[in-house]
Amino acid sequence: MIGYTMVGTTDLKRAERFYDPVMALIGQERCYCDEQVSSWGRKDDDKAPRFFACHPFDGKAASVGNGAMTAFLVESAEVIDRVFYAAMARGGSEEGKPGFRPQYGDGFYAAYVRDPDGNKLAFVCYDARETQSTS
């Protein structure tokens, strides 16, 4: 259903330093970059969804969408924990520590962060088990 999502950045190199290790932990690699945009996904499948960080194409300042968030599906609670701490180490800010969110369903485990530009991201697993969590 999703082809790609895109967030704005004021500093593309900083965005790359933030996203490269975070995306690597969830099995996504940088697929493309130039002076305007960088994308992450699967190099071997150009039809798989991709995530982009870019300088806005209209030339105006990047800004955060109120209520906008990109959620990445992750294989386990352990990986979400590692992604969360990698994001914090790379200049991200916390929007919700890793943990179970039973209000969203049995096994729903998530962490919420903002990238250095303030874009909100979620990392979610729909079928985590209590024994998976390390936080």
Side-chain angles (χ1 to χ4, degrees), residues 14 24 27 36 45 54 77 92 98:
R14 180 185 65 194
Q36 181 76 22
D45 184 356
C54 70

Side-chain angles (χ1 to χ4, degrees), residues 102-119:
Q103 67 271 32
Y104 301 131
D106 292 339
F108 189 95
Y109 190 92
Y112 300 89
V113 303
R114 289 196 184 266
D115 74 6
D117 285 291
N119 297 296

Side-chain angles (χ1 to χ4, degrees), residues 7 11 13 15 18 20 40 52 54 72 89 104 108 113 127 130:
V7 296
D11 184 336
K13 293 300 178 194
F18 176 83
D20 281 342
W40 293 265
F52 288 79
C54 70
F72 295 95
Y104 301 131
F108 189 95
V113 303
D127 59 358
E130 288 290 336

Side-chain angles (χ1 to χ4, degrees), residues 36-54:
Q36 181 76 22
V37 64
S38 289
S39 73
W40 293 265
R42 292 181 41 208
K43 284 185 180 178
D44 65 342
D45 184 356
D46 63 356
K47 294 187 191 275
R50 291 203 177 167
F51 179 79
F52 288 79
C54 70

Side-chain angles (χ1 to χ4, degrees), residues 10-79:
T10 58
D11 184 336
L12 189 58
K13 293 300 178 194
R14 180 185 65 194
E16 291 168 351
R17 288 189 303 272
F18 176 83
Y19 283 109
D20 281 342
V22 168
M23 292 298 182
L25 285 167
I26 61 172
Q28 306 301 305
E29 58 190 326
R30 193 174 335 160
C31 298
Y32 177 82
C33 63
D34 63 20
E35 63 282 343
Q36 181 76 22
V37 64
S38 289
S39 73
W40 293 265
R42 292 181 41 208
K43 284 185 180 178
D44 65 342
D45 184 356
D46 63 356
K47 294 187 191 275
R50 291 203 177 167
F51 179 79
F52 288 79
C54 70
H55 294 294
F57 288 96
D58 65 5
K60 296 180 182 174
S63 61
V64 177
N66 187 22
M69 176 173 59
T70 300
F72 295 95
L73 190 57
V74 179
E75 66 189 37
S76 70
E78 289 94 346
V79 173

